Amino acid sequence: MSQSVMEVQVHESMFDAVLARLNAAAKLMNLSDEVLQVLRNPQKEVKVSLPITMDSGKIQIFEGYRTVHSTHLGPSKGGIRFAMDVNSDEVRALAAWMSFKCAVANLPYGGAKGGIKCDPRNMSVGELERLSRAYAKAMKEVIGVNKDIPAPDMGTSGREMAWMLDEYNKVMGEDIPGVITGKPIAIGGSLGRDAATGRGVMVNTLAALKRLNLNPKNVTAIVQGFGNVGSHAARLLSEQGVKIVGIGDHTASFYNEKGIDIKAALDFAAKNNKVLKGFTGATEIKASELLVSACDVLVPAALQNVITEENASKIQAKLIVEGANGPTTPQADPILNEKGIICVPDILANSGGVTVSYFEWVQNKAGYYWTEDEVNQKHDLKMEIAFEAIWNNASKYKCSMRLAAYITALQRIEQAVKFKGFY
Ligand code: GLU
């Protein structure tokens, strides 16, 4: 994996990174100390051990996690990831980000996250199904349609959500589709959910370009990550006239200053085990070069901790739109600010996914389903309103968009914590 994006990953406590931003925003907006203490400590953390029969006949034990960070604005919401680096610190950080993300998008949700430490690329479909079902059963007391609502995240998709929902329904003895979002359409999923996170990245990019007085048709972009978020973001941005000059995934990275044909890249990946290795529509470059190559807009849509104090000063983009969760370390933030790079932070930029998850939950509760156009229109409007609120708070508090997003979220959560009160 020498040319992988893993090269630039830095290992540090992700929850500390969340607390660093939380403290900075709390100070700027004068958040009350008791609310800060509440939000520094997740509400509930559950770890389970899942013994699974592997295809070899041997039993392997997997660690499963679910952390509920907050439920002040509503039931907790957040994805479940399957990845080898899943651990309690990471899940805790991602759960807290979900609280802030849902508040930024003005959704009636708190935040949670789950994960299983496993390598889904090296597991059979049968093993993944048994693992997904075992997790849903083990977490039956944690999740609930008005309690805690999972969704896909890294390494999971509608397929795993379908298994988990089916298992949960069997255990409960009734059909409760709204307990999990990001489901396949046939079992109560929402049209538009699959592309929603990428769509949110596109809407946020257009809103930022407008504020910067840049015409999307004269702008170039690099998108790191070609999974559910990056591939849709690259496609939707190119449909808006943005010239995509760089793309990459965990197998290979590419650059072409004349622009990459995204449709050709999507067709290639579809026939190539969903990866870009071997694509010939651009020059292959090192993964570490992708983020620092020439472009106007940089979209990190793969992993956390890829923009660090080592490479931040070399970034050439004017605008960063964070498709991934936590792609920028707190140490890199001041370097970007100093260079005048505008960064649309993850909790705003990638909130399109959970926004359409919310629409899915609303449709499940009503038992009435919307057209894709209805979903997209409602999504775009919500994203535009969220972007404006953060942009305005950034100028009001004279701070970065990241801190402004935290401030916006904290203002909403603070009210809820205070109204609900303490023992
Ligand atoms: N896993 C996605 C995220 O990090 C979606 C969460 C959801 O839809 O609940 O935002």
Side-chain angles (χ1 to χ4, degrees):
M1 200 179 256
S2 66
Q3 295 211 339
S4 122
V5 278
M6 295 292 180
E7 266 176 12
V8 281
Q9 193 171 0
V10 171
H11 293 280
E12 58 172 28
S13 161
M14 275 176 72
F15 192 60
D16 283 349
V18 177
L19 294 182
R21 268 87 176 242
L22 176 60
N23 285 346
K27 208 166 156 196
L28 253 182
M29 65 168 288
N30 259 326
L31 183 74
S32 79
D33 203 45
E34 62 265 31
V35 176
L36 179 62
Q37 290 316 319
V38 168
L39 296 177
R40 287 176 62 90
N41 295 283
Q43 262 177 32
K44 186 191 288 182
E45 301 195 82
V46 178
K47 182 181 174 201
V48 292
S49 137
L50 306 167
I52 302 299
T53 310
M54 305 306 279
D55 291 350
S56 64
K58 291 215 170 77
I59 304 292
Q60 193 175 324
I61 312 287
F62 292 88
E63 289 168 16
Y65 298 85
R66 186 80 184 163
T67 291
V68 172
H69 174 259
S70 78
T71 54
H72 305 97
L73 290 173
S76 52
K77 184 87 192 80
I80 296 169
R81 64 170 54 178
F82 285 6
M84 278 313 283
D85 58 5
V86 166
N87 60 60
S88 56
D89 174 72
E90 181 185 281
V91 174
R92 199 177 294 145
L94 292 161
W97 273 326
M98 285 310 301
S99 293
F100 305 133
K101 193 186 297 187
C102 292
V104 159
N106 216 355
L107 307 177
Y109 287 143
K113 202 79 170 198
I116 302 179
K117 185 178 165 68
C118 67
D119 183 2
R121 288 190 191 115
N122 286 318
M123 289 173 69
S124 71
V125 174
E127 289 166 346
L128 287 169
E129 176 171 354
R130 293 193 286 282
L131 186 57
S132 301
R133 288 184 182 278
Y135 179 90
K137 195 169 186 181
M139 293 295 178
K140 70 179 197 304
E141 311 292 350
V142 180
I143 64 180
V145 65
N146 293 319
K147 200 169 163 188
D148 176 45
I149 308 137
D153 197 76
M154 262 169 59
T156 57
S157 66
R159 182 180 67 170
E160 287 74 18
M161 299 306 109
W163 291 326
M164 290 188 192
L165 175 68
D166 183 58
E167 193 63 30
Y168 183 80
N169 284 343
K170 280 181 178 143
V171 170
M172 293 305 176
E174 57 182 318
D175 187 44
I176 315 168
V179 73
I180 288 178
T181 62
K183 302 179 289 292
I185 306 293
I187 57 166
S190 175
L191 294 167
R193 174 63 185 87
D194 211 35
T197 313
R199 188 173 180 89
V201 167
M202 180 269 285
V203 173
N204 274 289
T205 305
L206 295 191
L209 290 176
K210 199 167 166 192
R211 287 291 187 166
L212 299 174
N213 273 325
L214 291 169
N215 181 343
K217 300 200 165 52
N218 301 329
V219 158
T220 60
I222 291 175
V223 181
Q224 182 199 43
F226 212 66
N228 175 264
V229 184
S231 67
H232 285 297
R235 175 180 61 80
L236 290 162
L237 284 170
S238 71
E239 281 170 17
Q240 294 296 323
V242 173
K243 193 202 277 181
I244 310 293
V245 290
I247 54 174
D249 67 6
H250 66 283
T251 64
S253 298
F254 299 90
Y255 191 84
N256 182 350
E257 61 178 8
K258 295 201 181 77
I260 297 171
D261 179 347
I262 295 301
K263 200 173 166 306
L266 287 166
D267 290 346
F268 176 85
K271 291 191 199 107
N272 193 40
N273 215 3
K274 295 191 184 158
V275 297
L276 288 170
K277 184 86 198 157
F279 177 61
T280 51
T283 310
E284 186 165 351
I285 59 170
K286 277 196 198 146
S288 55
E289 283 169 22
L290 186 66
L291 296 174
V292 297
S293 295
C295 65
D296 300 306
V297 183
L298 179 63
V299 179
L303 294 169
Q304 55 254 26
N305 296 336
V306 292
I307 300 178
T308 65
E309 54 194 325
E310 272 81 54
N311 62 5
S313 61
K314 297 187 214 130
I315 286 179
Q316 302 187 50
K318 303 177 182 75
L319 174 68
I320 296 176
V321 184
E322 295 182 337
N325 288 312
T328 307
T329 66
Q331 294 77 14
D333 274 344
I335 305 172
L336 301 178
N337 293 341
E338 188 96 330
K339 284 175 62 115
I341 299 173
I342 303 286
C343 179
V344 183
D346 48 6
I347 56 173
L348 169 61
N350 71 34
S351 65
V354 71
T355 296
V356 178
S357 271
Y358 164 59
F359 295 156
E360 180 175 332
W361 182 74
V362 169
Q363 293 171 79
N364 291 152
K365 284 188 157 231
Y368 178 79
Y369 291 84
W370 309 344
T371 64
E372 189 162 358
D373 274 354
E374 280 177 282
V375 172
N376 287 345
Q377 262 176 35
K378 286 181 175 44
H379 162 274
D380 294 0
L381 183 64
K382 251 193 170 314
M383 284 295 98
E384 279 156 11
I385 293 172
F387 181 92
E388 282 307 301
I390 308 306
W391 185 273
N392 292 338
N393 258 350
S395 61
K396 181 173 168 197
Y397 289 92
K398 297 187 178 35
C399 66
S400 65
M401 285 195 78
R402 186 182 314 284
L403 279 185
Y406 275 83
I407 290 174
T408 310
L410 291 172
Q411 284 168 336
R412 292 178 180 152
I413 299 172
E414 179 173 38
Q415 283 192 44
V417 175
K418 288 193 166 163
F419 276 125
K420 285 187 168 170
F422 302 96
Y423 288 108

